[in-house]
Amino acid sequence: TACPCALGLATPTAVLVGTGVGARRGILIRGGDILEATSQVDTVVFDKTGTLTLGKPQVTSVLALDPASMPSEQVLHLAATVEASTTHPVAQAVVRAARAAAA
């Protein structure tokens, strides 16, 4: 018979692999509990922001809290500097926006 330990290891591993594959395809899943809850979903509603239709988040505007001390362009540049080394889709959108603003 199978060892119950196998299920104890296989289930979290499968959830981790599933969320990782989803992230590489632009689908962000907050955790295993959310993934499990999707088994109860019977309706999905999509918006027209481009996030779901294109699968590529994008920065539409940057608002500085105190533009006199740090303009929006500088906020975007600093955010992109922090996010430059990650592969997270939102981080990549920030980096793309900063590059476009600098061009």
Side-chain angles (χ1 to χ4, degrees):
T1 64
C3 173
C5 297
L7 286 178
L9 294 173
T11 302
T13 302
V15 169
L16 181 64
V17 169
T19 55
V21 169
R24 282 191 296 281
R25 293 177 182 213
I27 302 169
L28 305 178
I29 302 169
R30 188 173 45 189
D33 56 329
I34 303 302
L35 188 60
E36 184 178 345
T38 60
S39 69
Q40 304 298 316
V41 172
D42 63 0
T43 304
V44 178
V45 178
F46 294 98
D47 66 2
K48 294 303 250 173
T49 62
T51 302
L52 295 174
T53 55
L54 298 176
K56 203 170 203 180
Q58 57 182 255
V59 175
T60 58
S61 63
V62 178
L63 178 64
L65 294 178
D66 184 6
S69 66
M70 184 180 295
S72 297
E73 296 80 14
Q74 188 177 2
V75 171
L76 181 58
H77 174 74
L78 291 173
T81 300
V82 171
E83 299 290 4
S85 64
T86 183
T87 59
H88 191 281
V90 174
Q92 291 176 343
V94 170
V95 172
R96 282 193 307 273
R99 286 183 182 147

